[in-house]
Amino acid sequence: MTPQHDLPSGAEQRQRVTSRDVATAAGVHQSTVSRVLNGDQRISSDTRKRVEAAAEQLGYVPSRRAQNLRARRSGVVGVMVQDIDNAFYPLLLSDMHRELTAAGYAIVLIVDPLHRRADMSRMRQLFDDSLDGVLISTATIDSETPRALHASGMPLVLAVRSVPNLDVDTVESDNVAAGREAARHLVALGHTDIAVAMGPKETSTTRDRLRGVLEILQTELPPDRVMHGPYRHETGYAMCRRLMMTDNPPTAIIAGNDVMAIGVLDAAWRSGLSTPEDLSVLGFDDIPMAAWQAINLTTVRQDSKAIAEQAARRLVDRIEQPDSPPHHDIFPVSLTVRATTGPLRTDS
Amino acid sequence: MTPQHDLPSGAEQRQRVTSRDVATAAGVHQSTVSRVLNGDQRISSDTRKRVEAAAEQLGYVPSRRAQNLRARRSGVVGVMVQDIDNAFYPLLLSDMHRELTAAGYAIVLIVDPLHRRADMSRMRQLFDDSLDGVLISTATIDSETPRALHASGMPLVLAVRSVPNLDVDTVESDNVAAGREAARHLVALGHTDIAVAMGPKETSTTRDRLRGVLEILQTELPPDRVMHGPYRHETGYAMCRRLMMTDNPPTAIIAGNDVMAIGVLDAAWRSGLSTPEDLSVLGFDDIPMAAWQAINLTTVRQDSKAIAEQAARRLVDRIEQPDSPPHHDIFPVSLTVRATTGPLRTDS
DNA sequence: TTGTACGCGTTATCAG
DNA sequence: CTGATAACGCGTACAA
């Protein structure tokens, strides 16, 4: 029957002053403090001043935890990326961050656990109510996470990649067209022996870009001309080395994206090859590095900034309008010719 | 006297099922549900099963918001960086993220508002109780944020950079030694006309590296040989162009960090200069790009991984032990010679 | 214009 | 072993 207090765990002294303290200090009721700080109009300017003074004096800061519980929102969205140190993702993150911050949301970083079922347990954060929504840039064709998340009612937007048969907001590039652009460019330069060093087979980006490439080449590529692996520098590096070790190396390589393309270039240059004389290399994305003099990579540009911003906006809309019909935004791409592609060498 | 419900704001249907619902379904009291899910030992395996079944069946997920309020912690720490798309910060973020995730914390991204006073308002998140701690990698010598944060009692760790006269946990490199290494190397190669294209004057990294350089050169540098600016690619680029346009360009440039050094190289190469024949360039950090064949940058390596991980651990310790004495960790650096530095050319 | 009372969904204490 | 009850700190419908 007696009131009880749990002892603060010893490590928690901060955030002492509560609205009740301010109330006491100002000689009003706690609810009045709340009203003042929320700008309630019908409050006498006298008590308002008293309360504000007391709050200021005590250094009162409202508890977001309590506000969150009351408001049933957290003001936080999760952004899921594959790797943080991968050039492409920071680019996305940066633009998403700006947009979401402007909309009043904070971002928590979620590194994709590679949709291994086991790791779903560690992802409880995705399913409890600590997040108002999630932005996923790592969806794979067969990944369960977006589907489960959607089923749980979590506001959700897929950026950059999409998932078949999942009717949620999607913001991506026209990757089939991107694949076509890439292949057309190399074909126009006279290349016939083209290898593709693509990203993971189970991503929509890889599937679409490859589809576009094959549309133009109008032929199946031999198995040793098609490689798949993670969208990483070292993947491109390894693929290039493998290709160059064979008896008849290709004259051109289409990499899965710029990060991989730069890996390809690194391997090629390191083994003394010149671009485009010995080998043409082409990527996708047009990340800033691609334009550096030392790289000067021909690539099919996608507007990652527009995608990131639009995805962020879609998520905010989705959170506010959970039941509106999903949108599927597709952004155009454009070929950017630089120095890593050139005419097929007509050697003796 | 009658109970009252506020209507859910229309946009919030999710997170319906509460522990009370589970209780009703299992025919027990809500508190029993809580006990079961928290693995309380003294519970009959019979009711335990009933409750677990009901929870499973209803798809119950505990509300983190409510747990946070009760537990007076959020399980979230803020990580403050300068720019997300800046190569160096993703590196830090990545390692910090791994460490903090392992310790059970989520990360919210905070982009430094450049310690403009005006933007402090937007930073309320830093001072309310939504964060259990903050990791700052953007401190400047004169910045108020860390000081205010510390004064407010927020657990705090400074990574990479430090602030004078602020006794909080600090994890950084021996930047004075780094500066010495850089200068020694160039002096040994015969360079006498060295320019420094450094980072912002008000950062401890810049101050310390420059101090080390000057220690070795044993002379003041002429004003036109010392430049300061943000740690960004375009800064290095612009500084190099300015230096090269003068009548007597230097024979070597020490850049503030690798990102800037690559900007310097970009400018140099774009104007047809060769390294190291026409110009030696040297950076700090040794980010992965520095090792690429196309860059091959001589640099003074700092162990950013060790720093990130240690900073993360220190923060976790600090949160758990708010009153333990602060630590100041300093990590060693090491010169990594690659292809952008060479002997002074002895032209005709 | 302000005080009263209640609930957001948990966990923890106290009886029984 | 389990039910009742009190916080955690805030916002708000209701009464005055």
Side-chain angles (χ1 to χ4, degrees), chain A residues 65-294:
Chain A
R65 290 202 265 268
Q67 291 179 323
N68 284 345
L69 183 59
R70 242 329 295 227
R72 300 156 127 178
R73 62 176 303 250
S74 62
V76 179
V77 303
V79 177
M80 192 147 139
V81 298
Q82 196 74 256
D83 325 275
I84 303 175
D85 64 330
N86 190 338
F88 182 67
Y89 291 105
L91 217 59
L92 280 183
L93 264 179
S94 182
D95 295 319
M96 289 172 172
H97 178 271
R98 189 176 350 86
E99 200 70 21
L100 289 169
T101 299
Y105 289 91
I107 285 190
V108 327
L109 259 186
I110 302 177
V111 174
D112 190 284
L114 299 174
H115 52 86
R116 281 175 294 174
R117 304 297 187 282
D119 285 12
M120 288 283 279
S121 54
R122 268 247 141 287
M123 286 282 111
R124 53 165 290 195
Q125 159 184 205
L126 286 177
F127 295 96
D128 64 36
D129 60 356
S130 58
L131 262 29
D132 288 345
V134 179
L135 218 36
I136 298 186
S137 67
T138 59
T140 58
I141 290 176
D142 59 345
S143 55
E144 288 304 317
T145 310
R147 206 172 296 277
L149 224 44
H150 181 57
S152 84
M154 174 67 79
L156 179 62
V157 172
L158 302 183
V160 186
R161 305 183 190 169
S162 60
V163 174
N165 305 321
L166 182 60
D167 200 29
V168 303
D169 294 293
T170 300
V171 185
E172 60 185 331
S173 288
D174 186 346
N175 285 306
V176 179
R180 285 195 214 105
E181 291 283 324
R184 263 197 215 107
H185 175 60
L186 293 177
V187 167
L189 290 171
H191 292 275
T192 53
D193 190 357
I194 299 174
V196 295
M198 303 302 285
K201 197 182 300 200
E202 61 276 10
T203 58
S204 63
T205 42
T206 294
R207 179 200 55 193
D208 292 347
R209 287 168 188 170
L210 195 47
R211 179 177 303 164
V213 168
L214 294 177
E215 260 183 40
I216 297 301
L217 297 187
Q218 293 192 317
T219 164
E220 288 302 308
L221 286 170
D224 64 320
R225 289 290 180 254
V226 182
M227 318 179 81
H228 289 282
Y231 279 121
R232 299 191 57 86
H233 184 94
E234 59 259 38
T235 312
Y237 190 92
M239 287 177 175
C240 181
R241 291 194 63 98
R242 208 173 330 152
L243 283 170
M244 289 306 136
M245 271 178 194
T246 59
D247 294 337
N248 58 336
T251 62
I253 299 179
I254 297 177
N257 70 359
D258 286 354
V259 168
M260 294 181 73
I262 291 172
V264 167
L265 288 174
D266 203 23
W269 290 336
R270 217 173 274 274
S271 40
L273 298 179
S274 302
T275 51
E277 293 77 11
D278 302 316
L279 178 71
S280 281
V281 176
L282 181 150
F284 296 93
D285 290 346
D286 199 14
I287 61 181
M289 282 190 274
W292 293 353
Q293 179 70 15

Side-chain angles (χ1 to χ4, degrees), chain B residues 276-308:
Chain B
E277 293 77 10
D278 302 316
L279 178 72
S280 281
V281 177
L282 182 152
F284 297 92
D285 291 346
D286 198 13
I287 60 180
M289 280 190 276
W292 293 353
Q293 179 69 18
I295 309 285
N296 223 352
L297 174 72
T298 295
T299 186
V300 182
R301 175 177 181 72
Q302 77 168 321
D303 196 343
S304 70
K305 182 177 181 207
I307 292 181

